[in-house]
Amino acid sequence: MNTLPIVKMTLYKHGVGFYQRRGAVEGDTASVQFRKDEMNDILKSLTAFTVGGGQVLGMDYATPEDKAALLARSSIHLADGSSLRDLLRDVRGRSVEVTTTTETISGLAVGVDLPGEREPLTATLLSVYIPAQATVRTMKVGDIQRLTLVDARAASDLAYFLETSLMEDEKRSVTVRLTPGRSDVVLSYIAPSPVWRVSYRLVADEQNGKPTSLLQGWGLFDNTFDEDLEAVQLTFVAGMPVSFIYDLYTSFTPERPVVKEQARAVARPVEFAEALSAAPEAPPTRSAMRGLSRGPMAADMAAAPMAKMSVADLADSTVVAATGQAQGEFFSYAVANPVTVKRGRSALVPILQARPVFRKERIYNGRKHPLNPIITARFKNDTGLTLERGPLTVVESGEYAGEAMLPFTAPGGEIFLAYAVDLGVKVTEEASSEQVLVSVNIANGLLSFQEYQIQRVAYRVENHNDQPVSVTIEHPRLANYATHETPEPAEMTADAYRYQVQVKAHGVSTFTAAQRRLTARREEIRNQRFDALQRWLHDHQLDQATFDRIKAILALYNRLAEHEAGVRKNDGERQAIFNQQKVVQGNLGALKEQGEEGQLRGRYVRTLNQLEDKLAQLQKSDEELAAAIAATKAEIDKALAA
């Protein structure tokens, strides 16, 4: 049983809680029980102090062993069905004082003799040795009225056994030792805790012909203690301080090396040589909106056949008594009224109630949901609070409309809650791309091109509803692209443009979003095609004079290519002649100079002469081609320079 109740608890989002226990203590100890799996955090963080007098002398806790291991250390072991007999057995040899119905005997316990099979258990005998008389006395166990353990060790072992038997295997007790007297003791510590959660409601309706809305937030937490929480000061913290588990509870004895004794000779004297001389300022706190005043109910429940949830009724019937404030790097919701939760129960506590300026939108983003826009609730977080992430239920005109996840939002942040899909509106997309030449510059025989890479998406929005709608198109922003031939977006995000498209009831609207980027490349003039030049001239990207000059340069390059082709042709013919000469010369070496071989030899000689004449002609052609190539290159250089 804990003698110090929980008076304050702060719950965080990463599985720990910070707790404070406080109570008045009479005497010199105060005990608190914890679960075994909490002990590492307890030993890491437990802090004890007193208020108004008294001192904390120290704290102790059960050794980290299971009950069986702890009981094995005792010299006394008592079974459930034979505790007295086991006690008399285990105090053997210890000093005892036995009081029966007739006398009191002091001596040393000898042992217990069990009855035979046919004798009753009441015939169990205890033998006591009386040293002064050198006598052993025997008595029936059933006649014993009192047994006093004179031996201090026996008394201590019995107390240890009984205290350990009370210990729960999954519980560990921590005892705070105090100076004697009355003390107001405070304990604070961290311990594992289920994550606190938050649940929101967004109610929208009309009041006096004007749209109105109400945002409520409820904090959820669980009482996992083996005790009731009575009038506890509760705080929820939106943030995540660093936390970890460090095993302080498990006993750790490091292994040490074993050094064996060695035989050694007597050491001689040893001499040593003489040494030579030689804090940012804390952010301001913000107060949360407090609950609206409670008003009378609109009508008697018995008289109303059916009640619809309205902003006014919900605001009047819920009192939010929580204060939000900055807490270092975090944000906390401090529940003003003490909270009471029974053991094994969980609770919802209202922590937020605000009147945001609510606006409904249809947003289409094909990457997130194709074909249909998402109905969203859009408003700014003007509550002055940091809103923790949590599920949200939307009610419109008293009816369930959908659900969403409210993201973690700082004060002043904008919130988009996607809570439904509008199946009455269908959006289709058609993507296309285009490459448009912007300019051509000529320098040093190179053409420098600037071109626009254009990406377009055509959106077709079909409205099958009976009312006109406005659809927000979220068009993705491309890196290094800018909008082109597209109206200015209504909004921009880090990765999208937002465009508003109005669609009549049972109507269709189209919208095209285009983006472009400017690119540059270079090519040699000689690699250009005449048909491309004509297209550029037609598109007014070249003037007539530049076109004529480039056309003339291309003609020179064509002439140069013809001359270079002639040189390559001559090289091929020359190589063929060389190969033929080798064959003829080989044949000449095998022929005689007389007779028919002599005649054949003459023919080969004439063939060699003809081949030499062809080589001379090729040489002359090469010289003419080289001169033509040089002249053409000179003309090209002159034309490019112009």
Side-chain angles (χ1 to χ4, degrees):
M1 181 68 182
N2 291 328
T3 58
L4 301 176
I6 294 177
V7 296
K8 181 179 179 181
M9 50 192 292
T10 303
L11 303 180
Y12 294 85
K13 295 291 291 184
H14 65 316
V16 300
F18 182 70
Y19 303 95
Q20 188 177 93
R21 293 178 178 270
R22 183 172 181 175
V25 176
E26 291 284 355
D28 57 0
T29 61
S31 296
V32 181
Q33 282 193 336
F34 301 100
R35 294 195 306 269
K36 183 179 178 181
D37 59 2
E38 297 175 336
M39 287 303 294
N40 285 316
D41 283 320
I42 298 302
L43 297 178
K44 180 175 62 178
S45 61
L46 183 61
T47 305
F49 61 93
T50 59
V51 178
Q55 289 183 325
V56 176
L57 303 180
M59 292 179 279
D60 59 71
Y61 57 95
T63 303
E65 293 179 324
D66 58 26
K67 185 189 297 185
L70 293 173
L71 291 176
R73 293 185 176 186
S74 175
S75 64
I76 294 177
H77 303 87
L78 308 181
D80 293 339
S82 55
S83 298
L84 179 58
R85 186 189 65 188
D86 293 343
L87 175 62
L88 296 175
R89 175 201 63 204
D90 290 343
V91 297
R92 182 176 185 176
R94 308 289 181 90
S95 295
V96 296
E97 183 179 277
V98 182
T99 300
T100 67
T101 55
T102 59
E103 60 182 334
T104 298
I105 301 172
S106 297
L108 301 178
V110 175
V112 179
D113 295 324
L114 297 177
E117 294 181 0
R118 297 182 179 180
E119 297 180 85
L121 292 177
T122 54
T124 302
L125 301 178
L126 169 66
S127 300
V128 177
Y129 173 65
I130 305 174
Q133 302 175 3
T135 302
V136 174
R137 295 284 303 275
T138 302
M139 63 203 72
K140 292 182 179 181
V141 172
D143 294 336
I144 298 176
Q145 293 184 334
R146 184 175 64 191
L147 174 67
T148 303
L149 300 180
V150 180
D151 184 86
R153 174 65 185 275
S156 175
D157 284 355
L158 177 59
Y160 173 81
F161 181 90
L162 296 176
E163 290 175 0
T164 305
S165 298
L166 288 174
M167 185 185 73
E168 300 180 43
D169 281 339
E170 296 304 318
K171 294 288 186 177
R172 294 295 184 266
S173 178
V174 176
T175 300
V176 182
R177 291 185 287 106
L178 307 164
T179 53
R182 181 181 177 86
S183 302
D184 186 2
V185 181
V186 180
L187 294 183
S188 65
Y189 57 91
I190 66 168
S193 170
V195 173
W196 76 273
R197 292 152 293 170
V198 63
S199 174
Y200 297 96
R201 292 95 174 96
L202 179 63
V203 180
D205 60 14
E206 290 189 358
Q207 192 172 6
N208 299 326
K210 295 182 179 180
T212 183
S213 59
L214 179 71
L215 176 67
Q216 277 191 350
W218 293 74
L220 290 77
F221 74 100
D222 309 315
N223 179 8
T224 58
F225 297 95
D226 293 333
E227 59 186 289
D228 295 339
L229 298 176
E230 299 284 351
V232 174
Q233 182 181 343
L234 178 63
T235 300
F236 301 116
V237 175
M240 191 175 292
V242 174
S243 184
F244 53 88
I245 295 176
Y246 189 87
D247 192 352
L248 291 171
Y249 184 58
T250 304
S251 297
F252 174 68
T253 303
E255 294 185 1
R256 293 178 294 165
V258 176
V259 180
K260 296 182 179 180
E261 187 68 27
Q262 295 180 348
R264 53 182 182 265
V266 178
R268 65 182 64 186
V270 178
E271 296 180 356
F272 294 95
E274 182 180 358
L276 298 175
S277 300
E281 186 177 346
T285 60
R286 298 188 293 269
S287 296
M289 298 181 64
R290 294 192 176 272
L292 303 177
S293 60
R294 185 184 299 273
M297 299 187 68
D300 182 67
M301 294 180 61
M306 182 178 295
K308 282 192 174 183
M309 185 187 303
S310 69
V311 170
D313 291 342
L314 188 63
D316 289 344
S317 60
T318 306
V319 177
V320 179
T323 301
Q325 62 180 4
Q327 182 176 316
E329 302 298 326
F330 316 119
F331 196 89
S332 65
Y333 300 87
V335 180
N337 296 327
V339 176
T340 297
V341 183
K342 295 297 183 180
R343 175 182 178 182
R345 305 280 291 180
S346 299
L348 288 85
V349 181
I351 59 175
L352 165 69
Q353 184 159 284
R355 294 286 190 95
V357 179
F358 171 75
R359 185 166 83 251
K360 185 163 70 173
E361 292 187 3
R362 289 170 172 83
I363 299 180
Y364 172 78
N365 187 321
R367 294 172 298 173
K368 297 179 179 179
H369 192 280
L371 296 181
N372 306 105
I374 304 298
I375 300 176
T376 62
R378 181 177 181 179
F379 57 92
K380 280 190 175 294
N381 178 18
D382 55 5
T383 64
L385 305 174
T386 296
L387 301 182
E388 183 57 70
R389 183 175 185 270
L392 179 143
T393 300
V394 180
V395 176
E396 289 184 288
S397 301
E399 300 293 340
Y400 167 78
E403 300 172 7
M405 284 299 296
L406 192 147
F408 186 92
T409 310
E414 193 165 35
I415 299 172
F416 285 84
L417 298 175
Y419 65 90
V421 178
D422 190 347
L423 298 178
V425 178
K426 180 181 178 181
V427 183
T428 56
E429 304 178 35
E430 184 177 350
S432 62
S433 61
E434 183 182 4
Q435 185 170 300
V436 176
L437 183 65
V438 178
S439 65
V440 181
N441 295 319
I442 304 171
N444 301 322
L446 297 175
L447 291 178
S448 298
F449 300 92
Q450 284 191 320
E451 297 171 315
Y452 275 124
Q453 305 287 340
I454 302 176
Q455 302 291 335
R456 289 187 176 89
V457 177
Y459 296 92
R460 175 184 171 87
V461 185
E462 304 174 15
N463 179 19
H464 301 280
N465 296 313
D466 295 331
Q467 302 83 24
V469 297
S470 175
V471 178
T472 300
I473 302 291
E474 270 199 352
H475 181 71
R477 296 177 62 179
L478 303 178
N480 302 319
Y481 279 74
T483 57
H484 171 63
E485 297 178 348
T486 305
E488 285 295 317
E491 291 178 326
M492 288 190 299
T493 69
D495 57 1
Y497 297 107
R498 289 192 177 128
Y499 299 100
Q500 298 289 336
V501 178
Q502 308 297 327
V503 193
K504 296 180 180 180
H506 300 283
V508 177
S509 293
T510 58
F511 174 77
T512 300
Q515 300 177 73
R516 69 180 183 180
R517 68 173 180 176
L518 189 62
T519 61
R521 60 185 176 87
R522 290 183 177 182
E523 295 181 5
E524 291 188 19
I525 292 180
R526 67 183 302 170
N527 294 331
Q528 303 310 305
R529 296 173 54 186
F530 184 69
D531 57 348
L533 290 177
Q534 288 182 315
R535 186 172 65 253
W536 297 342
L537 178 64
H538 179 270
D539 294 340
H540 304 289
Q541 291 160 340
L542 285 179
D543 58 31
Q544 186 65 48
T546 304
F547 173 82
D548 292 340
R549 289 188 177 185
I550 296 178
K551 180 179 177 182
I553 292 173
L554 289 180
L556 291 174
Y557 274 120
N558 289 337
R559 187 196 307 170
L560 178 63
E562 292 176 358
H563 295 330
E564 292 173 341
V567 172
R568 291 192 296 273
K569 181 182 178 183
N570 288 348
D571 289 340
E573 292 182 1
R574 183 179 291 107
Q575 186 62 44
I577 290 174
F578 288 156
N579 294 336
Q580 190 176 358
Q581 283 179 332
K582 289 181 180 180
V583 174
V584 172
Q585 289 171 353
N587 291 335
L588 280 175
L591 295 176
K592 297 179 180 179
E593 295 182 0
Q594 294 83 16
E596 293 181 358
E597 291 186 3
Q599 294 177 0
L600 183 58
R601 185 180 175 83
R603 290 174 57 185
Y604 282 150
V605 171
R606 287 192 295 272
T607 299
L608 288 175
N609 290 334
Q610 292 172 358
L611 293 176
E612 287 296 331
D613 292 340
K614 289 182 179 180
L615 288 175
Q617 292 173 1
L618 291 176
Q619 180 64 30
K620 182 178 179 181
S621 176
D622 284 345
E623 293 173 355
E624 292 173 352
L625 288 172
I629 289 173
T632 304
K633 287 183 176 180
E635 289 187 63
I636 292 174
D637 292 341
K638 182 178 179 181
L640 291 176

